[in-house]
Amino acid sequence: ENVRLFKELEARNRDLIEALEQQTATSEVLKVISRSTFDLDPVLATLVQNATRLCDATKGFIFQFDGQGARLAVSYGATPEYADWIRAAGPIRPGRQTLVGRALVERRTVHIPDALADPEYGWAESQRQGGFRTMLGVPMLRRGTPIGVIAIWREEVRPFTDKQIELVTTFADQAVIAIENVRLFNETTEALDRQAATSAILGVISQSRTDVQPVFDAIVDQAMRLFRAWTANIFLSDGQLLHLIATRGGPPGSEQYLRATFPKPIRERSVAALSIIERTVVHIPDVESDPRVDQTLRGTARLRGYRSGLNAPMLRDGEPIGAIIISRAQPGSFSPAEIELLRTFADQAVIAIE
């Protein structure tokens, strides 16, 4: 009887210690969240470390999902070589062949007791590199939509308990809170920056009633900063020719080369002429693959060093009088907020001309 009572007491103490460790870990994560309103990495690193340690796992990853693929954000316990290999393998797409992909598809916890015995698991090279057997993947859901996955694993076949799965689910919820906090903070900061930029340009307009050039210079300066742009240009059209009015950025010496190529006929194919002729915003996520970009324009882009571009026509009473063009050195889409901001800059340029 004494032995039985001792074992019960020992089990209760073990449960109490486990509960205390989990409560301490949760409190620690919440503190990190409260201190990291704009830096997400410390929060995710704390989360994956606690999830891995408290669940008696070997290693852990947190992936962030952008709607197309999941990329490794932070890791714990894994060798730098394996983490680099995962990053180099590219984003993990939703699908049933991987733990992360399956969690994204099912939008619920995925528990694989043995990766080598799972008939659907198909990422053999990852298993060989990571040496995992038992895996747990918990999606991070924001209003039902996955924005990431917490993945932990063991190198032996030893399934996770219900309590451990519940704990990782709690950590996933906390990760969503942290990501939302950073997103809202960044959106607020960006909105304030954009408001300040448009106010600054309006201020230049009010002070430059006889000279419009300072307004154009202010617009390209603000565009370079707010869009993290590689180049920013403003062109004016006289109906026949396209004139370069203001330019910033690009590799050394390219500005002089660009100015030497203008004015040029609007009929001559260029990205600036395209937005003027079509009287609409022209969005080019990648000049190397966009069918609207011919070999001549690709050559210009390579010379100037950019891969993506966004062009907004300057319209006066519906008629195009010019265009604002920004570019980035990397391929990628511009956000709806950025497209709207460039439209605002184009409208302000028209106001200045008027």
Side-chain angles (χ1 to χ4, degrees):
E1 182 66 19
N2 287 339
V3 172
R4 184 184 63 80
L5 291 174
F6 177 79
K7 288 184 177 180
E8 286 183 1
L9 182 61
E10 187 179 37
R12 288 178 184 175
N13 286 338
R14 203 162 41 241
D15 289 343
L16 286 173
I17 292 172
E18 184 179 320
L20 181 60
E21 286 181 341
Q22 293 179 8
Q23 188 176 19
T24 303
T26 301
S27 178
E28 179 185 355
V29 171
L30 291 175
K31 286 180 181 178
V32 176
I33 290 175
S34 68
R35 293 194 301 263
S36 304
T37 53
F38 57 89
D39 190 0
L40 189 60
D41 285 347
V43 182
L44 298 184
T46 302
L47 279 165
V48 73
Q49 177 181 349
N50 282 303
T52 305
R53 180 175 57 85
L54 293 176
C55 293
D56 195 23
T58 309
K59 301 172 180 69
F61 283 161
I62 290 183
F63 293 84
Q64 286 187 265
F65 181 57
D66 61 7
Q68 300 295 322
R71 292 174 172 81
L72 180 60
V74 294
S75 67
Y76 177 75
T79 65
E81 292 77 14
Y82 182 51
D84 289 343
W85 185 86
I86 290 291
R87 292 187 178 97
I92 299 176
R93 306 294 180 184
R96 303 197 61 81
Q97 289 191 321
T98 66
L99 174 74
V100 173
R102 202 179 301 181
L104 292 171
V105 167
E106 296 189 1
R107 303 189 180 190
R108 62 180 179 85
T109 297
V110 174
H111 188 194
I112 300 178
D114 186 357
L116 295 182
D118 188 288
E120 292 185 293
Y121 190 80
W123 203 2
E125 182 60 21
S126 178
Q127 193 282 327
R128 189 186 69 80
Q129 294 269 356
F132 48 78
R133 295 293 294 273
T134 296
M135 297 188 293
L136 180 67
V138 179
M140 294 142 51
L141 301 175
R142 181 175 65 204
R143 293 186 289 275
T145 300
I147 60 173
V149 175
I150 298 179
I152 63 174
W153 66 89
R154 291 169 175 156
E155 294 179 351
E156 74 276 8
V157 177
R158 182 161 54 93
F160 292 94
T161 67
D162 291 341
K163 283 187 178 181
Q164 290 168 337
I165 294 173
E166 183 180 353
L167 178 61
V168 180
T169 302
T170 299
F171 284 146
D173 292 339
Q174 290 178 328
V176 173
I177 293 171
I179 293 172
E180 277 293 276
N181 284 349
V182 172
R183 183 183 67 83
L184 292 172
F185 177 85
N186 289 339
E187 284 184 356
T188 302
T189 302
E190 290 171 3
L192 291 173
D193 280 348
R194 290 166 183 161
Q195 187 176 21
T198 54
S199 297
I201 293 170
L202 290 174
V204 176
I205 291 175
S206 68
Q207 297 167 11
S208 306
R209 297 186 179 181
T210 59
D211 184 7
V212 77
Q213 189 61 45
V215 180
F216 295 148
D217 292 337
I219 289 175
V220 290
D221 286 338
Q222 294 289 353
M224 288 291 292
R225 182 178 66 86
L226 288 177
F227 290 93
R228 300 178 299 281
W230 173 244
T231 62
N233 302 305
I234 294 180
F235 300 91
L236 287 183
S237 166
D238 61 11
Q240 299 295 324
L241 297 175
L242 206 57
H243 302 265
L244 177 62
I245 304 301
T247 181
R248 294 288 188 276
S254 64
E255 180 177 328
Q256 183 178 1
Y257 165 80
L258 186 66
R259 288 187 181 278
T261 62
F262 285 88
K264 62 174 58 175
I266 294 178
R267 295 188 306 276
E268 185 175 323
R269 187 168 179 80
S270 69
V271 176
L274 190 61
S275 64
I276 291 174
I277 292 170
E278 295 186 1
R279 304 184 186 189
T280 187
V281 169
V282 176
H283 183 192
I284 302 176
D286 189 352
V287 297
E288 294 294 337
S289 60
D290 195 294
R292 295 170 294 182
V293 180
D294 60 19
Q295 289 302 320
T296 301
L297 294 183
R298 288 196 183 101
T300 302
R302 291 166 187 164
L303 181 66
R304 292 278 284 164
Y306 65 85
R307 282 289 297 274
S308 57
L310 182 66
N311 317 327
M314 294 153 51
L315 302 175
R316 181 173 61 196
D317 298 329
E319 293 298 318
I321 61 172
I324 299 177
I325 299 178
I326 61 172
S327 71
R328 287 178 179 151
Q330 305 81 20
S333 299
F334 291 82
S335 70
E338 289 173 328
I339 294 173
E340 189 59 35
L341 177 61
L342 196 64
R343 281 199 182 104
T344 299
F345 284 168
D347 291 343
Q348 288 182 319
V350 173
I351 292 171
I353 293 170
E354 285 294 279

